[in-house]
Amino acid sequence: MSLEEYYPTDSEKEILETYHKDLYDLFCHDTDHFNLIEFGAGDGLKTKILLRHFLEEHGNFRYLPIDISKEALAILCNDLKSEMPDCIVEPLHNDYFAALHDLAEKDYFTRNVILFLGSNIGNFTMEEAVSFLSAIHDNAKKGDILFIGFDLKKNPRKILNAYDDARGITRKFNMNLLERINRELGANFNIDKFSHYPTYDPVTGETKSYIISDVEQEVQITSLGMNVKFEQAEPIYVEVSQKFDMKMIKMLASESGFNYITSFYDSENNFVDSVWEVL
Ligand SMILES: C[S@@+](CC[C@H](N)C(=O)[O-])C[C@H]1O[C@@H](n2cnc3c(N)ncnc32)[C@H](O)[C@@H]1O
């Protein structure tokens, strides 16, 4: 995420730095306190921008980071304790699908502002995205807000470079999947016989990453008692990262039951953070 080619991080940071006051006013509209609930908080690098400004505004809010990684949550909470001791933090170590149900039971009189940053929604297919967002909507109450980041369609080369950096870090990141299978499931993938292959389709907006078997080969996965044969050039589909336009974003809001309110862009129109509410 800190790679020079991986523009979404800086673009979203810029949005949060530029519009924190507008966001605070939107989140506080008609109320003087709110819960800031973050799905997949990670290191909270960008969220800290909002937290810092909201504390300066003497905002009356609690921060509830949700993450499936216990380690990520522990690091985030420690950081916040030393960097922002006044911030009320209530971490939730859970899968966000499971956390959705807790949401419905959180105190009924406080507005929930749900953050889903970093265009994480792009890792779902469009169909999965609608069902995930509908589940958020159906577990939320009137007046709750979803603040959600989307990486926008743009020059295809710029997008492709973000998944194919010059230093080969994204390659290592994807190959790490095979290394983990070797380490944790006793497999014998020879990493040198596989290639990293990212693609971007400007029509659908899908960035897809594949690992390609360079030769015909067979891999043993001992713990699973499994032998896997690969043809020469056979692809392993690793991930999708969907890119969006405003038509798609407004369609997602309406198909999942939300009322689209507004969106905030960075200065290069790389990225958008969109505000939706439950009517
Ligand atoms: C790419 S990081 C993004 C972090 C942060 N939201 C940002 O935009 O910089 C995704 C985070 O989501 C967490 N995560 C992924 N799948 C999850 C799930 N199903 N439930 C909860 N957290 C999840 C990961 O552990 C990771 O910390």
Side-chain angles (χ1 to χ4, degrees):
M1 286 173 66
S2 346
L3 286 167
E4 200 184 312
E5 292 97 332
Y6 195 75
Y7 60 84
T9 310
D10 285 343
S11 304
E12 196 170 35
K13 268 185 179 169
E14 185 197 316
I15 296 172
L16 302 179
E17 277 294 0
T18 310
Y19 297 107
H20 62 83
K21 179 76 179 80
D22 305 73
L23 292 170
Y24 183 73
D25 291 345
L26 274 168
F27 297 170
C28 281
H29 174 67
D30 277 349
T31 182
D32 63 352
H33 64 296
F34 57 92
N35 294 321
L36 205 55
I37 300 170
E38 181 164 22
F39 282 0
D43 63 5
L45 187 77
K46 287 169 291 180
T47 317
K48 282 182 192 168
I49 297 171
L50 285 186
L51 297 178
R52 195 166 289 120
H53 284 296
F54 289 0
L55 287 171
E56 279 166 16
E57 296 274 351
H58 302 290
N60 183 0
F61 69 96
R62 296 185 300 164
Y63 175 48
L64 294 90
I66 300 170
D67 207 292
I68 202 164
S69 161
K70 209 173 191 173
E71 197 189 355
L73 267 186
I75 295 172
L76 174 61
C77 291
N78 267 338
D79 284 359
L80 288 173
K81 210 185 237 176
S82 59
E83 292 169 28
M84 296 175 218
D86 293 338
C87 190
I88 302 167
V89 185
E90 294 176 21
L92 248 167
H93 174 225
N94 213 339
D95 182 288
Y96 25 70
F97 292 97
L100 283 175
H101 298 286
D102 296 349
L103 246 187
E105 288 163 17
K106 283 264 166 260
D107 76 283
Y108 200 75
F109 298 103
T110 304
R111 166 173 295 149
N112 288 324
V113 176
I114 300 154
L115 307 183
F116 199 41
L117 303 181
S119 204
N120 284 5
I121 192 70
N123 296 127
F124 295 93
T125 63
M126 287 300 272
E127 208 174 288
E128 288 165 348
V130 171
S131 99
F132 178 69
L133 294 169
S134 302
I136 296 181
H137 175 271
D138 297 348
N139 281 280
K141 61 185 178 298
K142 184 173 180 309
D144 283 352
I145 287 176
L146 177 64
F147 182 62
I148 177 167
F150 293 95
D151 193 9
L152 293 172
K153 289 181 179 175
K154 59 185 68 64
N155 186 314
R157 283 186 204 287
K158 187 177 174 89
I159 292 178
L160 196 56
N161 287 345
Y163 296 85
D164 200 16
D165 62 283
R167 288 163 59 198
I169 304 290
T170 318
R171 178 189 174 278
K172 278 195 181 165
F173 177 73
N174 283 340
M175 290 301 182
N176 184 50
L177 282 172
L178 304 188
E179 280 171 11
R180 280 194 65 184
I181 299 173
N182 280 350
R183 209 167 49 236
E184 296 175 26
L185 298 175
N188 63 350
F189 278 99
N190 180 345
I191 308 299
D192 295 336
K193 291 188 176 168
F194 290 88
S195 303
H196 163 62
Y197 183 67
T199 64
Y200 174 63
D201 180 341
V203 177
T204 62
E206 287 172 319
T207 307
K208 286 185 169 176
S209 290
Y210 299 92
I211 293 173
I212 309 286
S213 174
D214 294 331
V215 294
E216 185 181 333
Q217 54 187 320
E218 187 166 329
V219 175
Q220 278 102 42
I221 308 178
T222 313
S223 310
L224 304 180
M226 203 173 164
N227 281 4
V228 188
K229 284 189 177 152
F230 292 95
E231 305 285 342
Q232 182 172 21
E234 186 171 344
I236 304 172
Y237 171 39
V238 180
E239 71 153 356
V240 63
S241 184
Q242 179 71 47
K243 307 303 164 193
F244 299 85
D245 55 39
M246 286 316 292
K247 206 171 150 194
M248 292 161 85
I249 292 171
K250 288 182 179 171
M251 188 199 75
L252 274 180
S254 80
E255 285 197 1
S256 50
F258 281 95
N259 182 41
Y260 171 91
I261 301 185
T262 189
S263 290
F264 298 91
Y265 299 77
D266 66 293
S267 52
E268 291 181 24
N269 286 346
N270 281 332
F271 201 94
V272 70
D273 277 310
S274 196
V275 183
W276 305 353
E277 70 174 340
V278 179
L279 282 182

